[in-house]
Amino acid sequence: MLKAVFIDYTGTMVREDEPYTRELVRYFASHSELKDPNEILRVVWTKIKEIEAESYGDSFRKNDEKVDFILEYCAREHGLLGDFSYIHEVWHKVWTYAPLYDDVKPFFERTKLPVYVLSNDDLCFLEESMRVKDLHPAGIISAEAARACKPNLLIFKKAMETAGVMPEEVVHIGDSITSDIEPALLLGITPIYISRKVPAALDGVRVIRTLNEL
């Protein structure tokens, strides 16, 4: 019997292609050797995933620390110059003000089970995002609460502890195979893969295009 729903934040609830992210890309293009927007996104996201994979326990890094690592790397490897404090400010806006997908608020409103948001972002940004968007999840499990970033299993275990559920009593909705689907499967949580941009298929995993399908 299901007792709760876990849902990923970035890419699942909020859009990744939004004005503040585009401003970051524009700034990198005008202040570094990286010029192609797709290449900038590839470099930055690859580095984010590398940092998050190693961010747990004593090596845990909060959002601004992750950004510092990325900026140092891009300065060293790609000649990034400019106002790094400004980049931090824009990134803060990404974490807080990235717009919801149209299906998210209706999903929260119609879902009878308690919904918990799981994210690698810091709690302060997530709480402000929920306030701005007028969303009221049953709980927010941030990476800092678990001292671990997805795909580390600790954040999922912290979520189950917070929700008071066993693995078989919860589903987890996410847009990343590595960060959402695989760790859920390892713990015995039923994953639901949301592939918003293109059709997809995963053996043994339910795939949806929008939250309206649930």
Side-chain angles (χ1 to χ4, degrees), residues 70-87:
I70 292 165
L71 297 182
E72 290 168 8
Y73 169 81
C74 288
R76 184 175 65 253
E77 299 296 329
H78 302 288
L80 178 65
L81 301 172
D83 185 350
F84 285 7
S85 64
Y86 173 74
I87 297 176

Side-chain angles (χ1 to χ4, degrees), residues 31-49:
H31 291 81
S32 77
E33 297 163 359
L34 296 167
K35 301 303 178 185
D36 179 68
N38 291 327
E39 177 66 5
I40 293 168
L41 289 170
R42 186 195 66 77
V43 168
V44 170
W45 272 108
T46 298
K47 205 63 187 172
I48 287 174
K49 294 303 181 184

Side-chain angles (χ1 to χ4, degrees), residues 84-100:
F84 285 7
S85 64
Y86 173 74
I87 297 176
H88 274 273
E89 289 174 10
V90 177
W91 232 308
H92 288 183
K93 292 176 181 176
V94 172
W95 300 325
T96 304
Y97 299 112
L100 290 172

Side-chain angles (χ1 to χ4, degrees), residues 12-27:
T12 301
M13 290 175 57
V14 299
R15 299 176 181 273
E16 294 174 294
D17 179 20
E18 45 78 41
Y20 297 114
T21 296
R22 289 196 290 271
E23 169 59 13
L24 283 175
V25 171
R26 184 203 66 78
Y27 199 87

Side-chain angles (χ1 to χ4, degrees), residues 2 5 9 19 25 38-39 41-42 49 57 68 82-83 91 96 108 116 118 127 130 134 157 164-165 170 175 194 212:
L2 287 180
V5 175
Y9 179 67
V25 171
N38 291 327
E39 177 66 5
L41 289 170
R42 186 195 66 77
K49 294 303 181 184
D68 284 334
D83 185 350
W91 232 308
T96 304
F108 269 72
Y116 295 82
L118 274 65
E127 288 181 332
M130 296 301 107
D134 193 28
K157 292 178 179 178
V165 296
V170 64
D175 72 314
I194 185 163
N212 296 329

Side-chain angles (χ1 to χ4, degrees), residues 118-188:
L118 274 65
S119 175
N120 287 344
D121 289 344
D122 294 350
L123 183 61
C124 61
F125 299 113
L126 294 166
E127 288 181 332
E128 180 64 8
S129 175
M130 296 301 107
R131 187 193 68 79
V132 168
K133 296 169 175 60
D134 193 28
L135 282 181
H136 307 280
I140 300 172
I141 295 82
S142 64
E144 62 185 311
R147 300 291 294 173
C149 287
K150 294 187 297 178
N152 194 290
L153 300 184
L154 289 175
I155 189 169
F156 292 88
K157 292 178 179 178
K158 182 68 175 179
M160 287 190 288
E161 176 188 327
T162 301
V165 296
M166 301 297 289
E168 63 272 14
E169 296 174 327
V170 64
V171 297
H172 176 66
I173 307 165
D175 72 314
S176 170
I177 294 173
T178 302
S179 295
D180 295 305
I181 306 308
E182 291 177 350
L185 286 170
L186 284 172
L187 287 172

Side-chain angles (χ1 to χ4, degrees), residues 46-60:
T46 298
K47 205 63 187 172
I48 287 174
K49 294 303 181 184
E50 288 176 3
I51 295 167
E52 289 180 342
E54 299 173 355
S55 183
Y56 58 90
D58 292 340
S59 299
F60 177 73

